[in-house]
Amino acid sequence: MKKTAPPITIQATVNAPLAKVWEYWTTPSHIMKWNHASDDWYTPHAENDLRKGGGFRSTMAARDGSFSFQFSGTYTEVTPMSFIAYILADNRQVSITFRAVGDTTTIEETFDPEQENSRGRQQEGWQAILNNFANYTGAG
């Protein structure tokens, strides 16, 4: 039997109300502006069908044109302004909880790790993307 690694959890507090956080998290035109782990990457394309059974897809690309990949999945649960769960194309599960805390919003994201990169590298990468989201959403 294959041993599965425990999920990884990351978190951020966004200096914005829940309605704005939800809109920026789920709208493709916004996703394209924050969905990168570092400034040498960007998202030239994003699409989102936010409903149970719907899907999402984004292209993440190196700015120098050397590499790109698709990040995609299918939603398994969507509770507006509260919770999103999905299965990635490689069958890993992800869940995201949104919680209003006064005029801020806390986001907690839990995901199954993949086998190619270390847990630390995956946690750092996903946290960097979440931090970009928090900075983009809180500043706008």
Side-chain angles (χ1 to χ4, degrees):
M1 177 173 11
K2 186 177 179 184
K3 190 175 174 184
T4 56
I8 297 171
T9 299
I10 58 171
Q11 183 175 317
T13 298
V14 183
N15 189 23
L18 180 57
K20 179 180 179 182
V21 167
W22 186 263
E23 177 188 351
Y24 281 33
W25 188 272
T26 60
T27 305
S29 61
H30 287 295
I31 293 167
M32 291 169 57
K33 293 178 182 169
W34 60 261
N35 189 34
H36 56 277
S38 63
D39 289 340
D40 51 344
W41 285 82
Y42 75 115
T43 299
H45 176 80
E47 54 191 70
N48 194 18
D49 181 9
L50 186 65
R51 62 180 172 81
K52 184 177 180 178
F56 66 90
R57 179 180 320 172
S58 59
T59 302
M60 299 178 87
R63 289 197 185 274
D64 67 5
S66 64
F67 188 76
S68 70
F69 66 93
Q70 295 292 316
F71 186 78
S72 63
T74 303
Y75 293 110
T76 57
E77 186 176 342
V78 176
T79 304
M81 306 246 255
S82 177
F83 184 77
I84 296 172
Y86 57 85
I87 296 177
L88 292 168
D90 63 6
N91 290 320
R92 293 183 295 136
Q93 296 185 28
V94 179
S95 64
I96 309 154
T97 303
F98 301 82
R99 190 174 71 249
V101 182
D103 289 337
T104 67
T105 304
T106 299
I107 301 172
E108 184 175 281
E109 195 169 4
T110 300
F111 61 96
D112 291 337
E114 40 95 345
Q115 302 299 312
E116 188 175 322
N117 295 292
S118 71
R119 288 179 64 83
R121 184 168 180 184
Q122 291 176 72
Q123 185 167 357
E124 288 171 11
W126 284 58
Q127 185 69 56
I129 293 169
L130 185 55
N131 291 346
N132 279 341
F133 173 79
N135 291 334
Y136 170 74
T137 305

